[in-house]
Amino acid sequence: MDNSLPPADELVLVDRELAHIEARRTQLLARRAWLVQVLYQPVRAVTPQWPAAPVTDATPRSAQNVLLTLGGTLLTIAAVAFTLVSWGSMGIGGRAAVLCAVTGAALAAPAALLRRGLGSTAESVAVLGLVLTVLDAYALHWVALADTDGPGYAAVASAVLAGAWAAYGSALSRLRVPLPAAVVAAQLPLPLGVLAAGGGPTAFAWAALVTAAADGAAVLWGRPPPVRITAGVGAVLLGGWALLTGARLSLSSPWSGAALLLAGAAVCLYAAWRAPARAVAPSVVAGLAAVAAVGGPLRAALPADWAVPGYVLCALLLASVWRAGAGARLPYGVRTGLAGAGASVVALGLLWALPPVAAGALGPLARTTGVWSGEHAGPALASYPATALLVLAVAAAALVSVPRLWARCGALVLMWALLTALPVSLGLPYAATLPLQLLTAATALWTAVRPAPSTRGLPLPGTVGDTAGPGPGTTPETAAGTARGTKTAAGPAAPPVPGRTPSAADGPPARPATDQAAPTGPTTGPSASGPVGRPANASAGAPAAASAGRSAPGSVPPPPSAPPQVPAAGSGVPRPGWASPSPRPQAPAAEPGTVLGWVAYAGGLVSAVGAVALALDVRGATFAALGVVLGLFAGVAVLGTGARRTVSACGAVLAATGLVLAGAAAAGLEDHWTALALLLVPAATAAVGATARPVALPVEITGAAVGLCALGLAGPRPAFLALALALGGVIAAATAVRPERRPFASWAAAGLFLLAAWVRLGAWGVTTPEAYTLPVTVPALVVGFLRRRRDPEASSWTAYGPGLAVTLLPSLGAAWTDPEWVRPLVLGVAALVVTLLGARFRLQALLLLGGTVLALDGLHELAPYVVQVVGALPRWLPPALAGLLLLAAGATYEQRLRDARRLRERLARMR
């Protein structure tokens, strides 16, 4: 009998055994390596620990600078002390010799030090030499020129020192201090010369402005950065002083200040033109100076009320260079600065024009007269200039001409502000003010509903209109090229036009992505025969293995191929299996109509509230204003969309509430009757909610809030409160007919009916707790029964526990304080029935609640007799009975534990 296996099965068996042997060999090799590592640990070479070098707190260069600075300072102090204190003890020759020798040595030493590479030392000695030249000038004035005028001599000396220091710094160009020092000294000659000549503030301002212009020239054409920085600081300080003086003169002497301001504006504008990279700040200063220069004479020529409008008009003319034909040829920074200066002045003018707007919008809310008294509040801001309206109107017209969303929003706000301030500024009577307020509210709300006319001329979202001119450093040709390049690079390639032959101008055709990188070695990607991550022969070997019909579970799998590598960042060669990174999602741009609609809607709300508050002076006006506001809000709720529709629907409900209150007040109804009238509002909102589905929920919530106010009004009269609660329950029950409102409205209706019953019982003086609890228990038990019928696994505590507890527990408390026998008897019978039902149907809640109430009720009834029996027994008998009870419990302890455990398990099995 031949027991040999077939060749295929024997091959499988051999492969399995070899796999086991290989796995065991790998395990033993790993164990051997660990044992070798444990037994023969390498000994680390012991290196000597040298003491660490101390950490220095300062570098040699910083220490050298400190020493040089201290040395130069001490020498300077010594030179000053010598000149001021010891000067009188020497003759004229000695004085001249000492000064010349020390100053010459101090000025000549830096050249030798620089040749030796001692730059810091040379700087310190050069500073000492510069200080000595100042002391020389002082000594010369003290000894030889004591009779000359001090400011005049200081002006000449500062000019000479500035020239000498400049020449010295130019000769020794490696020194950094002399040239900035020369710039500092050059700030003094002109101002000191004006003071020496007895010039006034105007002449001093002109001298400061000329000096600042010279500093600006040094900033523009100076090469060393320290010189430019020093000159820039001087230009800012002296130029700012000159412009502030010109602004002050424009208020008292307009033409003198205008000339000074215009000259300063010309200097700043030239500096901005020559330095386009930093042109914004000087252009802003130039624009402000120009506005102040032109507005000063206008302010003197016009009445006082027209001063601010004059400045605003000048500022608008200046801001118009942003879009004017001549302004388009200005550099971008210059146009930006001038426009910013004009806009800032206009903003200040609008701030000046705000008080009438605030008085018109908020004045009616601060009532000083009684409601329906027929009296009207006095005119607010009667002495405020009416030209504030002109400022608002001109600014609004200017913003309308700018095709930008922010400008259109500002124009809407200013138009609303103009209409709001019109009655205050013109002092219109009450009969004209109220219609104008309502007209403003209607116009704003209509704009909110139909914002399309307001968006005319605005660019679409996601596009950039060419209305602001090219950016900094661009020309029309480069801007057009950039636009073409943006379209080509950002958007997809345009589809070919039918019938058109590609030309050489179109460029070479795009190469496929797979041809951009050629394989340079063995590949495992899609370009090879196998898929990504699998060798090329894997796909060829798979059919062979499948044809054998069996697999080799013990065979060693081939080594996996290298995983696909992530392409380098920024490389333009796509790799197989890797997708190009998707662009980051950007937030969608806001629709112009939506933004303008909300701006107009906010103004309409403010005007509507102000009109209603203003209409409270007269009864008829109140009804008319509330009716108009109700119509406006209802129209927006019907024609509007989104959140504006919701807010308007709620506003219409509030306006209707105001009409009901006004009608009740006009009819002389008391509060409790007014409460019943207010219930018409939630009834109407419930009816409207059945048809107006988009705004049904907020409308019904607003109506419910009005209903709560009605209950508050009816609270002092319990009978009317019960009636109001019952009517509210009827409204809630009617709302519960709708399927989407049934889960909440049904419970609300039940709660309102229950509260109505309780309030009515309280009004009748009923003190029996069962009268209040049974109306809750019966529906609760019915609901629990239906719940258990639908879901048999529901707990009895959830189904019946609340309903039973509502009646049994208050009744038990009343039974313990009731001297009669009827209530405890009825309660005991009810508790016994509940207990038996719980035992019969194995319901835990009924059994425990009924048993507990029954036991406590029985204890209450038996307590007097127990007290009598205990009083008649001998005193030794209770301890004896207690001892017997304890002995019995101890003897049957294990049985009692098993009984208690069995009872607990039975209770746990109940629902």
Side-chain angles (χ1 to χ4, degrees), residues 200-205 240-258 260-261 292-293 296 299 311:
T202 304
F204 186 84
W241 175 266
L243 292 178
L244 289 177
T245 303
R248 182 177 58 83
L249 289 175
S250 67
L251 302 178
S252 58
S253 180
W255 292 104
S256 300
L260 183 60
L261 290 171
R299 178 179 175 275
Y311 281 107

Side-chain angles (χ1 to χ4, degrees), residues 183 186-187 189-190 206-222 227-228 230-232 234-236 238-239 267 270:
V183 174
Q187 312 299 311
L190 286 180
W206 276 103
L209 182 60
V210 173
T211 306
D215 291 335
V219 172
L220 293 176
W221 291 293
V227 173
R228 300 175 63 184
T230 307
V236 170
L238 293 178
V267 171
Y270 180 78

